[in-house]
Amino acid sequence: RRADGKFLLVYEFFSDPPPNQRDRWLYARFSDDGVTFEPAALLPNTGLDRSPTGGVFQSVPDLIALPDGSLRLYYVAGGLSVASMRSTDGGQTWVQEAGYRLLSVVMPSGRYGVFVDPDVIRQPDGTFFMYFAYSEFEPQCGGLGCQRIRLARSSDGLNFTVDPDPLLVPSTGVPGLVDPDVYQAADGRWYMLFGEHGSGEPIRLRIAVRAD
């Protein structure tokens, strides 16, 4: 919900149903009441968003408000990395920010290290915390890899450093953890909702509480 009371919705749209979708785009809609939304507007895409298969891949949008009143949108770019775009007019127009916030890398094994599903929280001291799912596509875990929930930190919201140790790791027999969503409850404690997916099974919703 924006400062003026209007609602901004950013969501992902694919051109074909899974598992054959070639392109995924991000769209924005606006609403006065949070129920009825205006027609959609396509957000920009560039070479940052090209997937290894050649299509446009923008997914898992995450919005935050910045101290100067602008909005920043973090999202999965190209299916492997995290990029961002910014709006200074309440989400009417967007400009992609240069480079990636977290860039996929090729490991010595030849597998990709993949950063997806960003959830960014600005801390009281101004530090940006990005919670995300990370995997290296280990073959014993199947196609999605052994996804772990990890944390990266930034002083400016653009340049992130990943903590060395994961926050959450899959239990035995669980290929991965996905889609972290962190919030502070009325009791002051921090909670994380996340998905736990098994091989060929529906994703299960889990919750964790910050230890400190």
Side-chain angles (χ1 to χ4, degrees):
R1 191 176 187 185
R2 303 188 318 192
D4 63 1
K6 282 185 175 287
F7 293 83
L8 167 62
L9 169 68
V10 178
Y11 63 95
E12 169 190 342
F13 173 83
F14 2 106
S15 55
D16 297 294
N20 301 313
Q21 66 266 31
R22 171 179 168 79
D23 294 301
R24 299 172 181 235
W25 300 278
L26 295 179
Y27 282 84
R29 289 178 183 259
F30 301 89
S31 172
D32 291 326
D33 59 8
V35 177
T36 303
F37 283 82
E38 298 173 4
L42 178 67
L43 270 62
N45 66 82
T46 67
L48 290 173
D49 306 315
R50 306 301 292 185
S51 72
T53 59
V56 174
F57 191 111
Q58 297 176 313
S59 183
V60 197
D62 181 62
L63 278 168
I64 67 167
L66 299 175
D68 64 2
S70 65
L71 301 174
R72 177 170 287 139
L73 176 72
Y74 297 91
Y75 65 98
V76 178
L80 303 172
S81 304
V82 175
S84 64
M85 57 182 79
R86 187 165 166 263
S87 174
T88 57
D89 58 8
Q92 298 287 343
T93 59
W94 294 87
V95 175
Q96 287 189 305
E97 296 178 301
Y100 296 96
R101 310 291 69 82
L102 293 175
L103 174 61
S104 173
V105 294
V106 179
M107 311 301 291
S109 63
R111 297 189 296 269
Y112 283 104
V114 176
F115 304 89
V116 296
D117 303 347
D119 182 49
V120 178
I121 305 291
R122 189 169 181 270
Q123 303 297 304
D125 65 359
T127 302
F128 294 81
F129 280 14
M130 181 190 294
Y131 301 87
F132 61 94
Y134 173 81
S135 69
E136 296 177 7
F137 282 80
E138 296 93 334
Q140 72 271 21
C141 298
L144 287 175
C146 297
Q147 289 176 299
R148 313 151 178 87
I149 303 298
R150 299 188 67 173
L151 172 65
R153 305 168 194 248
S154 172
S155 60
D156 60 6
L158 296 173
N159 301 287
F160 284 84
T161 301
V162 179
D163 283 5
D165 298 317
L167 295 178
L168 294 172
V169 298
S171 57
T172 302
V174 176
L177 309 177
V178 295
D179 293 321
D181 188 13
V182 176
Y183 67 96
Q184 188 174 28
D187 62 8
R189 302 181 78 184
W190 287 90
Y191 293 86
M192 179 192 294
L193 297 170
F194 62 96
E196 177 187 88
H197 65 84
S199 180
E201 300 174 354
I203 293 177
R204 297 177 289 272
L205 181 64
R206 301 295 192 195
I207 190 166
V209 61
R210 197 161 79 179
D212 59 358

